[in-house]
Amino acid sequence: MKKIFLLSILLMCTLCTFSRHIKGGFFNYRYLGPGTANTSYIKYKITLTVYMDCDATGAQIDPTVNFTIFSGTSSTQVDNILVKQTSSFLLQKIYDDPCITGDQAICYYRIVTYELASVELPASANGYTISYQRCCRIENMDNIANSGTIGNTYTIKIPGTASPVPDAIKNSSPEFPVNDTAVICENSFFRYPFSASDPDKDSLSYSFCNSFSGGTATEPAPAIADAPPYNTVPYFASYSGSNPLGTKVTINPVTGLISGIAPPITNTGEYAVTVCVSEYRKGVYIGETRKELHIRVRDCSATKAFLNPIPTSCDGFTVNFSNNATNPSGTNYFWDFGEAASGINNTSSLATPTHNYLDTGVYLLKLRVDIGGLCADSTTTQVKVYPGFFPGFKSNAPLCKGFPVQFTDTTNAKFGSVTGWHWDFGNLATTTDTSAAKNPSYIYADSGTYQVRLIVGSTLGCIDTVQSTIQIRNTPAISIIPRDTLICFIDTLQIKTNNTGTFQWSPNYNINNVASANPLVSPDVPTTYFLTFTDPTGCIGKDSVFVDVIRSVNVNAGNDTIICKTDGMLIGTTGNALHYTWSPSTYLSSDTAKHPFANPLVPAITYHVVGNVGKCSSADDITIRTLPYPPAKAGNDTTVCYGRSVQLKATGGVSYQWSPATFLNATNIPNPIAVNPTNTTQYIVAVTDVTGCPKPAYDTVILNVDPLVVANAGPPDTTSVLGEPLIFNATGGIAYEWTPSTWLSNTNTANPTALPEENITYYLKVTSEAGCSDTDSIHVKLYKVPPSFYVPTAFTPNNDQNNDVLKPILLGMRTLNYFRVYNRWGKLMFATSQKGQGWDGTFKGNPQDPGTYVWMAEGATFQNNVIKRKGYVVLLR
């Protein structure tokens, strides 16, 4: 299995070296005379020129290739000849083109030629086809799909004796020069020569043609080429063999010059272009020679003057101009608008100028571009100015399906006359919805919205498009007011329409005029009136209105009720009335709604409602009484010290419910105790009464918990020397009280100064802003010695918890600047500036040998006197 896997890798790597480097090529042949040994044979020289990627190396450049020869265009193979490589060189530019931006002094192709110096073929009626196949092209080309897996076929046909041209077998094919270093800039105008020369002076005609595929990724260099005919490469949808660079690029059939606007760079900017050269002798076709080349479009711009034909200016005398070729920055422009009568306004140096012509007419526009006087180019075109062209149309309305819609052209031309109409009636269901008549009609089979478009021109070249949306209905739109309605049996109702046309109502029952647009009806039983309507164009529509009839009106405002004050209620009125009127309107959301919302703020109110249908009516009353909510009070917000209990007090009802239950000893009493709360809590109490509103009222109280007060007088034990001040630094609150006051500078500050004369213990009380307090103490041991460092003369670092660390004892010293220990060779073993730290007898984790060591120390007293000391210490183990 490992051997197979290794073989697969080697095979893939071999294929990598053979693929994705071919960028074009072509065959040509030259007649050398009759055969050497047999004069019935014809002798030819056949040359293959292959274009490759400049970086092609190694196995990508075949030392030999096979020319496969077929009889005519058939699959009959005549020979397969191994041909050696004769030359290989790079095709490149040495200097940049100053008229094009970017770097063009690059390598374009590696050119490899294979020359069959002489081959003798028997004279044949059908001639011969010579072919060579190779894979693969470069990846991600812009006009060939999956180009990295697509190969190439280069082929040429030698005519036979059956050709209508005498001595066609003695023909030599056209020859292409290898000079393909033209620079093409994307979206810019360009020219690229594909011209060839013919040794026999025959006439040549050029055209774009299909590129052929051949060879595969699995067999990149077939020993024998496939027989004709050959498959076309898979072009992307917007490209083809006849449009290899898009629709804006053409080839001159006489000169072979390719020109136009270059396509954009989508992937690599590489496009496969094949040009077929048809050879004619005295007007008779001899044969065809093909050249394929991958042309690279670059991100650059070239200095070029290029003007598309400018359409006639039909809407004014002002014309905007621009050069349709993208030029480099720094390009100079000179425009001549062709109107000498305008004087100094006849020219411009702007890139995109605007010119106001003084009169109608045809003017010759000229454009010249250059860069600093170099790279100049110029062009001309005609400008036609004939303003006053106003396209338009109208249609008859209303519009119904199945009836002819008449369209009338309303276009007006001040100069020339209107001519040439093209109507598109917007019916997407058919392709026959067009007309060239001036005033056509069209029948829409279905209702819907249609976009009608008219393209109209004039005899002076004006052309414009106008469009409008029309609505085709199933029937004419009818507006009946009111829609289905209700009346009382004693009422008369007028039905109204907003249409023009003829009307026919049915049934003829209690209606004053069945042909009226606005009849009066007075049915005494429920009746549906039907309308048949015909508009002025003949469209017919139908509609109806239902008139319900009642004998009496019933209204019920609902039962009297009691609500809590400020709650409000929706009055659930029932009845068959159409209209309602409430009085008084006080506290009501609406005095005409069937179900108004009432929110009375008085103890009681009675509302009177009248409901009617036409002349019939009915009335009713409803009384709403309000009861106040209990006067709930949760008490005032309060603050308690951390961990101390406090009692809450609520009033206003007979039952209580507190939430949340956190810290509370009970939740259903008015005065629960918050036991040792540790954080601030908002409590809500629901208060219920039995004499007023049955709903609970709510109130809130915030219990603020003052943070825990922690008194800190400093280290519990400290030392001092006689005569040296000792400064305390207490923390924990905002108020401080020291006792006793003996030898203290101030008993009510956080940092008093002490000058003790004996050992003494001071007690500290710290109080917070909320009045919470805590206590602490500090014991001062007094030494009646001068302020200094006191260091033992020996220590035993043996981990017996007794004299294991060497550290200085600071008496009367405010700071320790440093404490250092050195061995007898002066090497630093330990250093610190932190009080209480010392040396454990090790260096970098290794225990040091017993012996004598030197220590040095420096610090400042409480009176800021600097003291330095040094001494010896013995390390014992």
Side-chain angles (χ1 to χ4, degrees), residues 452-477:
V452 181
R453 183 176 62 173
L454 168 63
I455 302 175
V456 62
S458 75
T459 54
L460 292 177
C462 292
I463 187 169
D464 205 350
T465 301
V466 63
Q467 61 184 20
S468 178
T469 300
I470 65 170
Q471 184 73 37
I472 304 298
R473 304 184 182 92
N474 281 314
T475 59

Short mmCIF file of all heavy atoms in Angstrom, two decimals, residues 452-477:
data_model
loop_
_atom_site.label_atom_id
_atom_site.label_comp_id
_atom_site.label_asym_id
_atom_site.label_seq_id
_atom_site.Cartn_x
_atom_site.Cartn_y
_atom_site.Cartn_z
N VAL A 452 -46.29 49.94 -20.51
CA VAL A 452 -46.32 50.22 -21.94
C VAL A 452 -45.16 51.13 -22.29
O VAL A 452 -44.91 52.14 -21.61
CB VAL A 452 -47.66 50.86 -22.36
CG1 VAL A 452 -47.69 51.13 -23.86
CG2 VAL A 452 -48.82 49.97 -21.95
N ARG A 453 -44.42 50.76 -23.36
CA ARG A 453 -43.24 51.54 -23.76
C ARG A 453 -43.33 51.90 -25.24
O ARG A 453 -43.70 51.08 -26.07
CB ARG A 453 -41.97 50.73 -23.50
CG ARG A 453 -40.69 51.50 -23.81
CD ARG A 453 -39.48 50.70 -23.46
NE ARG A 453 -39.39 49.47 -24.24
CZ ARG A 453 -38.34 48.65 -24.22
NH1 ARG A 453 -37.32 48.91 -23.44
NH2 ARG A 453 -38.34 47.56 -24.96
N LEU A 454 -42.98 53.15 -25.54
CA LEU A 454 -42.94 53.64 -26.91
C LEU A 454 -41.55 54.19 -27.21
O LEU A 454 -41.05 55.05 -26.49
CB LEU A 454 -43.98 54.75 -27.12
CG LEU A 454 -43.86 55.54 -28.44
CD1 LEU A 454 -44.07 54.63 -29.65
CD2 LEU A 454 -44.85 56.71 -28.46
N ILE A 455 -40.92 53.65 -28.26
CA ILE A 455 -39.67 54.20 -28.78
C ILE A 455 -40.02 54.93 -30.06
O ILE A 455 -40.58 54.35 -31.00
CB ILE A 455 -38.65 53.09 -29.05
CG1 ILE A 455 -38.37 52.29 -27.78
CG2 ILE A 455 -37.35 53.68 -29.59
CD1 ILE A 455 -37.46 51.10 -28.01
N VAL A 456 -39.69 56.24 -30.11
CA VAL A 456 -40.08 57.06 -31.24
C VAL A 456 -38.90 57.91 -31.67
O VAL A 456 -38.05 58.29 -30.85
CB VAL A 456 -41.31 57.94 -30.86
CG1 VAL A 456 -40.96 58.88 -29.73
CG2 VAL A 456 -41.84 58.70 -32.07
N GLY A 457 -38.79 58.16 -32.97
CA GLY A 457 -37.67 58.93 -33.50
C GLY A 457 -38.14 60.05 -34.40
O GLY A 457 -39.34 60.25 -34.64
N SER A 458 -37.16 60.79 -34.91
CA SER A 458 -37.46 61.88 -35.83
C SER A 458 -36.57 61.75 -37.06
O SER A 458 -35.59 60.99 -37.06
CB SER A 458 -37.24 63.24 -35.16
OG SER A 458 -35.86 63.53 -35.05
N THR A 459 -36.88 62.51 -38.08
CA THR A 459 -36.12 62.48 -39.33
C THR A 459 -34.72 63.06 -39.16
O THR A 459 -33.86 62.86 -40.02
CB THR A 459 -36.86 63.25 -40.42
OG1 THR A 459 -37.14 64.58 -39.94
CG2 THR A 459 -38.15 62.56 -40.79
N LEU A 460 -34.44 63.75 -38.05
CA LEU A 460 -33.13 64.33 -37.81
C LEU A 460 -32.28 63.48 -36.87
O LEU A 460 -31.24 63.94 -36.39
CB LEU A 460 -33.27 65.75 -37.25
CG LEU A 460 -33.83 66.78 -38.25
CD1 LEU A 460 -34.01 68.13 -37.58
CD2 LEU A 460 -32.94 66.90 -39.47
N GLY A 461 -32.73 62.27 -36.59
CA GLY A 461 -31.92 61.36 -35.78
C GLY A 461 -32.25 61.35 -34.31
O GLY A 461 -31.62 60.62 -33.54
N CYS A 462 -33.22 62.15 -33.85
CA CYS A 462 -33.62 62.09 -32.45
C CYS A 462 -34.33 60.77 -32.19
O CYS A 462 -35.12 60.30 -33.02
CB CYS A 462 -34.55 63.26 -32.11
SG CYS A 462 -33.73 64.87 -32.14
N ILE A 463 -34.07 60.20 -31.06
CA ILE A 463 -34.75 58.98 -30.67
C ILE A 463 -34.84 58.97 -29.15
O ILE A 463 -33.91 59.36 -28.46
CB ILE A 463 -34.02 57.72 -31.19
CG1 ILE A 463 -34.85 56.47 -30.92
CG2 ILE A 463 -32.63 57.59 -30.62
CD1 ILE A 463 -34.33 55.25 -31.62
N ASP A 464 -35.99 58.58 -28.64
CA ASP A 464 -36.19 58.59 -27.19
C ASP A 464 -37.23 57.54 -26.84
O ASP A 464 -37.97 57.04 -27.71
CB ASP A 464 -36.62 59.97 -26.71
CG ASP A 464 -36.26 60.18 -25.24
OD1 ASP A 464 -35.86 59.21 -24.57
OD2 ASP A 464 -36.38 61.33 -24.76
N THR A 465 -37.28 57.21 -25.58
CA THR A 465 -38.21 56.20 -25.07
C THR A 465 -39.06 56.81 -23.98
O THR A 465 -38.56 57.54 -23.12
CB THR A 465 -37.45 54.99 -24.52
OG1 THR A 465 -36.65 54.43 -25.55
CG2 THR A 465 -38.41 53.92 -24.01
N VAL A 466 -40.35 56.53 -24.01
CA VAL A 466 -41.25 56.97 -22.97
C VAL A 466 -42.10 55.77 -22.56
O VAL A 466 -42.44 54.93 -23.40
CB VAL A 466 -42.13 58.15 -23.45
CG1 VAL A 466 -43.02 57.74 -24.61
CG2 VAL A 466 -42.98 58.70 -22.30
N GLN A 467 -42.39 55.65 -21.29
CA GLN A 467 -43.19 54.51 -20.84
C GLN A 467 -44.18 54.97 -19.78
O GLN A 467 -43.99 55.99 -19.11
CB GLN A 467 -42.31 53.39 -20.32
CG GLN A 467 -41.44 53.73 -19.14
CD GLN A 467 -40.54 52.57 -18.75
OE1 GLN A 467 -40.29 51.68 -19.56
NE2 GLN A 467 -40.07 52.56 -17.53
N SER A 468 -45.23 54.18 -19.63
CA SER A 468 -46.28 54.51 -18.68
C SER A 468 -46.94 53.21 -18.22
O SER A 468 -46.99 52.23 -18.97
CB SER A 468 -47.32 55.44 -19.31
OG SER A 468 -48.36 55.72 -18.40
N THR A 469 -47.43 53.22 -17.00
CA THR A 469 -48.10 52.04 -16.44
C THR A 469 -49.60 52.19 -16.60
O THR A 469 -50.17 53.25 -16.27
CB THR A 469 -47.75 51.88 -14.95
OG1 THR A 469 -46.33 51.74 -14.82
CG2 THR A 469 -48.43 50.67 -14.35
N ILE A 470 -50.25 51.13 -17.11
CA ILE A 470 -51.71 51.14 -17.21
C ILE A 470 -52.27 49.97 -16.43
O ILE A 470 -51.61 48.94 -16.26
CB ILE A 470 -52.19 51.09 -18.69
CG1 ILE A 470 -51.78 49.76 -19.34
CG2 ILE A 470 -51.65 52.27 -19.48
CD1 ILE A 470 -52.41 49.55 -20.69
N GLN A 471 -53.47 50.13 -15.94
CA GLN A 471 -54.15 49.11 -15.16
C GLN A 471 -55.33 48.58 -15.96
O GLN A 471 -56.23 49.34 -16.33
CB GLN A 471 -54.64 49.70 -13.82
CG GLN A 471 -55.28 48.69 -12.90
CD GLN A 471 -54.26 47.75 -12.28
OE1 GLN A 471 -53.16 48.17 -11.97
NE2 GLN A 471 -54.62 46.50 -12.12
N ILE A 472 -55.31 47.28 -16.25
CA ILE A 472 -56.42 46.62 -16.95
C ILE A 472 -57.24 45.87 -15.91
O ILE A 472 -56.72 45.04 -15.18
CB ILE A 472 -55.90 45.66 -18.03
CG1 ILE A 472 -54.99 46.41 -19.02
CG2 ILE A 472 -57.06 44.99 -18.76
CD1 ILE A 472 -55.70 47.52 -19.78
N ARG A 473 -58.54 46.17 -15.88
CA ARG A 473 -59.40 45.57 -14.86
C ARG A 473 -60.24 44.45 -15.46
O ARG A 473 -60.46 44.38 -16.67
CB ARG A 473 -60.34 46.63 -14.27
CG ARG A 473 -59.62 47.85 -13.69
CD ARG A 473 -60.62 48.79 -13.05
NE ARG A 473 -59.97 49.99 -12.52
CZ ARG A 473 -59.82 51.10 -13.20
NH1 ARG A 473 -60.31 51.20 -14.44
NH2 ARG A 473 -59.22 52.15 -12.65
N ASN A 474 -60.71 43.56 -14.56
CA ASN A 474 -61.67 42.55 -15.00
C ASN A 474 -62.97 43.22 -15.42
O ASN A 474 -63.59 42.87 -16.42
CB ASN A 474 -61.95 41.55 -13.87
CG ASN A 474 -60.85 40.52 -13.74
OD1 ASN A 474 -60.40 39.96 -14.73
ND2 ASN A 474 -60.39 40.30 -12.51
N THR A 475 -63.41 44.18 -14.62
CA THR A 475 -64.63 44.96 -14.86
C THR A 475 -64.33 46.40 -14.49
O THR A 475 -63.35 46.68 -13.78
CB THR A 475 -65.81 44.43 -14.01
OG1 THR A 475 -65.44 44.51 -12.63
CG2 THR A 475 -66.11 42.98 -14.38
N PRO A 476 -65.14 47.33 -14.90
CA PRO A 476 -64.90 48.72 -14.50
C PRO A 476 -65.06 48.86 -12.98
O PRO A 476 -65.90 48.19 -12.36
CB PRO A 476 -65.97 49.50 -15.26
CG PRO A 476 -67.01 48.51 -15.64
CD PRO A 476 -66.30 47.21 -15.82
N ALA A 477 -64.25 49.69 -12.39
CA ALA A 477 -64.32 49.91 -10.95
C ALA A 477 -65.58 50.70 -10.60
O ALA A 477 -65.88 51.72 -11.22
CB ALA A 477 -63.08 50.65 -10.48
#
